[in-house]
Amino acid sequence: MATTTAAPTSPRTSAAPPPSRWRNLLGKADVKLSPYLYIAPFFILFAIVGLFPLIYTAFVSVHEWHLIGGQGDFIGLQNYVDVLQQPRFYTALRNTFSIFLLSSVPQVVAAIVIAAVLDANLRAKTFWRMGVLLPYVVAPVAVGLIFSRLFADQSGLINELLGYVGVDPVRWHSDALASHVAIASMVNFRWTGYNTLIFLAAMQAVPRDLYEAAVLDGASRLRQFFSVTVPLLRPTIIFVVITSTIGGLQIFDEPRMYDQYGLGGADRQWMTVTMYLYELGWGAQKSFGRAAAVAWILFLIIVVIGLINFSITRRIASAAPDRPKTKRGGHR
């Protein structure tokens, strides 16, 4: 029986067909556009809930806009002029900066110290690390109500404790500085634990061989903290300072709930800029135009202070000494 052998196939017919031009273009577009499509949802959401309200607020601020009557005539920068001529605006601005300084500076220092303690070898580390975050979980309204009772002028627990050491009762709701200290205590109570966890995460990222080298050099725990930990925490400190600045200048919940009226005191001794904004928009004037002007003035103040903080902290970070580099031969 004769056997038939198959004819050899030509290389042209056995090879896979070359990819089309459309597939090449599609592959290039996928490589170039995919990263932008992945991050597009964030920018779309930011444009809807962040950028559009900001632009719309600027539009409202240059119009005579009433809460009930709605949009009025275009008046340019008259709302800004009216706001800057009001003494109450400068009182609110002074109160805002006072509360911000009394809260942010001790808060950052306390957060770094607590994070250093939690970074040490403690028993039940998870319990203590979760415990510092509990005040942040508490609602701001509840914190305001509790602290307003603690700092009551007549029957508050703080005045009772001060009486045991011979200190006269402090008028926490009457004196401006005392009310600022009380409100700053609320802010520190809520946000110190949150910033502590941020610093703790940064401390755990520090290479442990640096501490081992410091121990071999005879450095104490305190010396290790100031010579190793703090210099390597400078980028994190920059981040916390900037975010604390933004949040501190927008404070509203704590001073609003400090008393039952929510007006910032009889003489507006603890009224902040955001409370003044709320009073203009929803108070007796019901002027959305002036309230929007206050919002934009506060936005510009936050931007300026944020840039100043960033430039100062960046100079401090750039002035830090670099880490010693090891050469190939193992000698420094």
Side-chain angles (χ1 to χ4, degrees):
M1 184 176 179
T3 59
T4 59
T5 59
T9 58
S10 61
R12 184 175 297 177
T13 58
S14 62
S20 62
R21 185 178 180 183
W22 170 252
R23 290 184 180 179
N24 289 334
L25 293 177
L26 187 62
K28 293 180 180 179
D30 179 53
V31 172
K32 292 182 178 181
L33 296 179
S34 292
Y36 298 99
L37 294 177
Y38 293 147
I39 63 175
F42 166 77
F43 288 99
I44 294 174
L45 186 63
F46 172 75
I48 295 174
V49 303
L51 189 60
F52 172 74
L54 188 66
I55 297 175
Y56 189 72
T57 303
F59 175 77
V60 174
S61 67
V62 294
H63 288 80
E64 188 177 340
W65 204 296
H66 197 267
L67 175 62
I68 300 175
Q71 180 180 352
D73 298 332
F74 174 81
I75 57 176
L77 300 178
Q78 186 60 41
N79 285 324
Y80 294 88
V81 175
D82 294 339
V83 168
L84 294 176
Q85 290 178 348
Q86 297 296 323
R88 186 165 290 181
F89 170 75
Y90 296 99
T91 301
L93 193 63
R94 180 206 66 187
N95 296 337
T96 302
F97 276 97
S98 176
I99 297 173
F100 160 68
L101 293 175
L102 290 172
S103 60
S104 296
V105 176
Q107 182 185 136
V108 173
V109 175
I112 295 176
V113 173
I114 297 173
V117 174
L118 294 177
D119 192 38
N121 293 325
L122 296 176
R123 293 182 179 179
K125 287 183 178 180
T126 305
F127 172 78
W128 296 112
R129 291 173 183 176
M130 292 178 60
V132 297
L133 196 60
L134 287 179
Y136 175 73
V137 181
V138 181
V141 176
V143 175
L145 292 175
I146 294 172
F147 273 77
S148 64
R149 300 296 183 271
L150 291 175
F151 288 94
D153 292 345
Q154 301 298 331
S155 58
L157 178 61
I158 304 299
N159 278 337
E160 290 290 335
L161 296 176
L162 292 176
Y164 287 126
V165 295
V167 179
D168 294 333
V170 180
R171 299 190 301 171
W172 298 105
H173 286 74
S174 300
D175 296 338
L177 181 59
S179 62
H180 296 176
V181 172
I183 296 172
S185 301
M186 300 187 212
V187 178
N188 292 332
F189 174 78
R190 288 197 66 236
W191 291 98
T192 300
Y194 177 82
N195 291 326
T196 297
L197 293 184
I198 295 177
F199 285 124
L200 178 60
M203 288 180 184
Q204 292 182 338
V206 176
R208 296 299 162 179
D209 56 352
L210 296 179
Y211 293 106
E212 295 174 359
V215 171
L216 294 177
D217 291 338
S220 62
R221 295 292 297 271
L222 188 62
R223 183 66 176 175
Q224 294 176 34
F225 177 75
F226 285 104
S227 298
V228 178
T229 305
V230 173
L232 295 179
L233 283 182
R234 280 171 177 166
T236 307
I237 295 175
I238 294 173
F239 170 77
V240 172
V241 167
I242 293 176
T243 54
S244 298
T245 301
I246 295 173
L249 295 179
Q250 294 178 342
I251 184 173
F252 178 79
D253 296 333
E254 289 82 358
R256 173 76 176 175
M257 300 303 301
Y258 187 54
D259 66 352
Q260 58 182 343
Y261 303 106
L263 299 177
D267 297 328
R268 302 300 190 269
Q269 60 266 27
W270 71 79
M271 181 183 66
T272 61
V273 175
T274 52
M275 293 179 65
Y276 178 64
L277 185 155
Y278 183 85
E279 184 179 290
L280 287 177
W282 285 269
Q285 299 186 26
K286 293 181 174 57
S287 176
F288 270 18
R290 292 185 180 180
V294 173
W296 257 89
I297 292 173
L298 179 61
F299 170 73
L300 295 177
I301 292 174
I302 292 174
V303 169
V304 171
I305 295 179
L307 292 175
I308 293 174
N309 281 341
F310 180 75
S311 62
I312 292 175
T313 51
R314 190 174 182 180
R315 287 183 180 180
I316 294 174
S318 61
D322 298 331
R323 296 186 189 178
K325 299 181 181 179
T326 57
K327 299 181 179 180
R328 290 185 178 181
H331 302 286
R332 293 187 177 182

